[in-house]
Each structure stands twice: as C-alpha cells, then as structure tokens.
Amino acid sequence: MTSLADLLPENAIELDVQVSGWREAIAAAGSLLTSTGVAAPAYTAEMIGNVEENGPYIVIAPGFAFAHARPSPAVHHTGMSWVRLREPVEFGSPNDPVDLVVALAATDSEVHTDAMAALAGLLLEPGADQRLRAVATPRELRALIAGEDAAETSFTATTSVGRGSTGPVKILTVCGNGVGTSLFLKSTLEKVLGRWQWSPYVDVEATDTISAKGKASEAVAILTSGEIAKTLGDVGIPVQVVENFTSTAEVDRKLRELFDV
C-alpha cells in the first residue's frame, strides 16, 4: 500500500508562496514535482491545460485545489507536492478563493488510490482545514499527515465494504482524468454509504469523462462537478453536481435526491 507520506516528502512542501493567479499557483506546485524528480516541466503545462480544457473542477473543497493531469511520459514516478499560498487566488470555482494547492503526478490510475483515500480521510476530519493552514513548517505538515495516515485504518474500514463488490447498482464519480478528484468524491460517497449501511448494495467507481459516457449504461447515477457535468451532457442517467467533494453533508443530500430518501 502506498501511503500519503510516501508520496509527499518534506522537500515537496512549500508554505506561504506568493503568486498572482491560479496558473502561477499550479506552476508553483508543478515546480516542486520537477525539483523532486517526480515529473518533467512538461507535466506542469499539462496540469494547467487540464483546467483550461475542463474548467476549475480541481477545486474540490473550499480553498483547496487538487492539480493533476492524465498519466503521461512527463511523469517519472508517482508523487505529490503541497503548496500553501500567502494570499488566496481565484480559480473561477464556487469553492474560491484557494490557498492550498496539492499536485499529483501519477504513472497510472491505480498505484496512488490508497494515498488518495488517506488524503480524502484527512480532509474529512473535523477541523482539518484549520490544522492544515496552521502548520508553521513542512516538517509539521508531514507529521500531521503521518498521524492521519496512522489513523486511516478506521476510515478505510468504514468505506471499504463496497469496494470490489458487485452490488445491484453502480454510481460513477467522474473527473476529467479519472485519477484525482473523482477518487476524492468516491471516498466521500463511500463514507456516506457506510453510514447508511448501503455499502453492500452500491458499487462506486471513479472514472474519467470519456469512459463515463460508455459506462453510464451500467450505472444508476453520476456524481461530478458542474464543469464536468456540462462536458458529459445527456448520458441517459441522472447527473448530480457536487461542489465540495469532501463534504459528507452535501453528498448525503445528493444521495437523498437520487433515491428519494
């Protein structure tokens, strides 16, 4: 299992970075991926291009952007970087302004799944946003993340029941690339399903926009961002827009709308 701490070394963290806009914010995170040997500079351009093409769906929670692009030859090995901005910037998202930017470079869509679950679990913890913004050094942030990794057993225990199951219905969580933000939404959705004790009856699959159109016939609904919903168009099943991918309360409301609970 690849942990969040494994993918985020101390030298891939920079705090109180000054930027003038969202492109510079992503570039700052991309620069750390380059300096730590995770990816070539071309990957930074790919992350920026992802937002230009698909919109600011990477802003998955208030103040938090998860920058990424599809696996590509520009990625040397899977890794992450973390940037806290001195002054928040606008991405054009309902979750603006953003002051935390985490970047992911992945060689494939599988190896980092456990780390994404850990990060989602950290963001779902009460008071996590205050703690993440209060750290004074990269070492403190690493210690916080390592602590959440250690506590992650209880989180995965409540959400893993539906993973790998072949329940009677399937829900797709969709992002532009299928390797980043859709996994956050999947984790949040699985946590809600666990609370409802519906995990044995619903299979959640994270996927990208292209694959989602082909898989829609297998599912009962799609959960995604407003930007991706526009890209998908009419796929023949309900598409529910979620603004905060880490909000169990919002996902709970969307599920109640879907199933008339």
Side-chain angles (χ1 to χ4, degrees), residues 1 3 6 9 15 24 33 36 60 69 91 98 104 122 137 178 257:
M1 183 179 79
S3 73
D6 290 336
L15 306 178
E24 285 190 16
L33 294 176
T36 53
I60 61 173
F91 275 69
V98 170
L104 167 72
L122 183 146
T137 66
E257 292 174 13

Side-chain angles (χ1 to χ4, degrees), residues 4-246:
L4 181 57
D6 290 336
L7 297 182
L8 188 65
E10 192 172 322
N11 60 350
I13 301 168
E14 192 168 357
L15 306 178
D16 300 323
V17 176
Q18 187 69 50
V19 300
S20 62
W22 68 264
R23 288 180 177 82
E24 285 190 16
I26 293 178
S31 177
L32 289 172
L33 294 176
T34 300
S35 65
T36 53
V38 169
Y43 186 71
T44 299
E46 292 170 9
M47 290 193 293
I48 293 172
N50 181 38
V51 178
E52 292 173 337
E53 178 181 355
N54 296 306
Y57 76 92
I58 67 167
V59 186
I60 61 173
F64 184 89
F66 188 69
H68 61 286
R70 292 181 183 277
S72 81
V75 178
H76 304 315
H77 60 86
T78 299
M80 297 173 66
S81 66
W82 187 294
V83 171
R84 187 177 70 196
L85 303 177
R86 182 181 298 276
E87 300 291 339
V89 298
E90 302 283 333
F91 275 69
S93 164
N95 290 316
D96 280 342
V98 170
D99 63 343
L100 293 178
V101 181
V102 176
L104 167 72
T107 56
D108 58 53
S109 59
E110 299 296 333
V111 68
H112 62 291
T113 303
D114 292 325
M116 293 302 95
L119 182 54
L122 183 146
L123 294 173
L124 286 166
E125 287 292 322
D129 55 342
Q130 292 94 336
R131 295 196 297 273
L132 292 172
R133 288 170 170 84
V135 295
T137 66
R139 180 167 296 181
E140 285 184 22
L141 178 62
R142 280 268 300 165
L144 176 62
I145 289 171
E148 294 295 343
D149 273 347
E152 184 60 16
T153 302
S154 61
F155 174 77
T156 53
T158 62
T159 61
S160 62
V161 179
R163 291 175 188 169
S165 71
T166 55
V169 299
K170 177 186 289 186
I171 297 177
L172 302 176
T173 59
V174 183
C175 73
N177 302 292
V179 297
T181 54
S182 59
L183 290 171
F184 279 95
L185 188 51
K186 171 181 162 70
S187 292
T188 306
L189 176 55
E190 287 180 330
K191 187 163 191 177
V192 174
L193 290 169
R195 289 175 178 175
W196 286 21
Q197 298 184 356
W198 278 24
S199 297
Y201 314 111
V202 182
D203 185 24
V204 183
E205 180 178 349
T207 190
D208 60 87
T209 50
I210 296 174
S211 299
K213 294 179 180 180
K215 294 178 178 180
S217 62
E218 307 168 5
V220 296
I222 288 174
L223 267 62
T224 189
S225 68
E227 294 86 0
I228 298 302
K230 293 176 184 177
T231 299
L232 288 173
D234 184 3
V235 291
I237 60 173
V239 177
Q240 288 279 10
V241 172
V242 178
E243 289 187 357
N244 184 347
F245 280 23
T246 65

